[in-house]
Amino acid sequence: MRFVWGFVFASVVLTAVLVRAGDLVNDVVFEDGETHIVDAENSYPTVRVVLRNSEGGDDTRLSLVAGGVIGFGIRAEEDSNVNIVGGSYGGSLVTADVSTAAIRGGALEGSIYAEDLGEIHIRGYRFSLPLGEIEAQGTSITGILEDDTAFDITATRDLDARVVLESGTAVIANGVANVINAENDYYDASVVVRDGAGDAQTQVTVVEGGSVGSQLRAEGHSNVVVEGGTVHSLLADDDTTVAIHGGAIPSGTVAIGASLLVIDGGTISNIVAASGTATLRLVGSGFNHPDGPIAGESGTITGTLADATPISVSFVRATTATIELPEPGAASLACVAAMALAALRKRERLAR
């Protein structure tokens, strides 16, 4: 009888070891301390992928990119790391021990689970929960990832593990006119506006009720107009044309590259700055500098914008850039000329 109980005990111990390992019959296990790319040519549609440290303790890494498929889940253990920027996975994503996962894109199905001290970071926008760590267990989360893919998953975490929602960047590069309003909002994201296919100009207008929670950045030959709403900070770059007629920009308005940024209204706070060969034009009256280009490279601008909103901001100007204070009539003519130049540039690009 003692032998039988010893056999049973040994069997229980052996079973416990197998369960702790957690391997399924068809698992693909990477434990070599290398980086593994899962793409269209290297996919695992019928198995689960497991990551562990190498024998020497080096962390193993996995990147799931566009075209890649993992059909039955991902399990990261020890110090391993998962980076999901595209592709798709089914089943569950589990981070155990002190492993980490970052999700920025791809088609997500099933659930995510942070075990032990594991962490899962999701970067995107329009989340159904506030940014930061989720508190509840078995929480449903919806949102849009940085690659513009919508998701709806269930998240669970152990007491000392973390599931974190992080502000992402939305890229608008469709070559057509777009409106940021209450129904199409970016309250928890940055926005980058770029040219569309064939160098087509992308246009974005921010109106009342719309917001950008972090920076709104215009690139290429794009055109941005702020008529209302709130943009945390604004950056005009390259050959862009940006006009601010209203709304609020509380954390800085900057023109770089060869951009043109015209401010004739709205609540502008903190700082305005220009570098490169950019032109930043404030339209109004009663300024504490003479009309025309400001000679100084830093200081303070006070006055009243053309929409009767007072302004008091610090300014910084590179020697190659221009910050100017024209009267409203002269500024309107200059703005029309700038718009005409932008249209001419567009026609020239399309004719190439």
Side-chain angles (χ1 to χ4, degrees), residues 1 7 23 30 39 58 66 72 75 89 145 155 158-159 173 196 219 228 237 242 244 276 289 301 308 317 334 348:
M1 181 65 70
F7 175 81
D23 293 342
F30 296 120
D39 54 21
D58 295 325
F72 286 85
R75 181 178 176 85
Y89 80 87
L145 298 174
D158 286 352
L159 182 62
E219 298 180 351
D237 195 0
V242 176
I244 303 172
H289 296 267
I301 298 172
R317 181 187 66 86
E348 289 174 345

Side-chain angles (χ1 to χ4, degrees), residues 30 36 38 49 51 60-64 70 74 81-83:
F30 296 120
H36 299 268
V38 179
V49 174
L51 306 177
T60 301
R61 299 164 298 281
L62 180 142
S63 289
L64 178 59
I70 297 177
I74 305 168
N81 176 269
V82 177
N83 186 36

Side-chain angles (χ1 to χ4, degrees), residues 32-33 70 88 132 152 177 182 194 220 236 252 267-268 276 290 303 306 311 320:
D32 54 6
I70 297 177
S88 65
D152 183 351
R194 293 178 180 151
T267 303
I268 311 300
I311 184 171
T320 53

Side-chain angles (χ1 to χ4, degrees), residues 328-338:
S332 298
L333 292 174
C335 191
V336 169

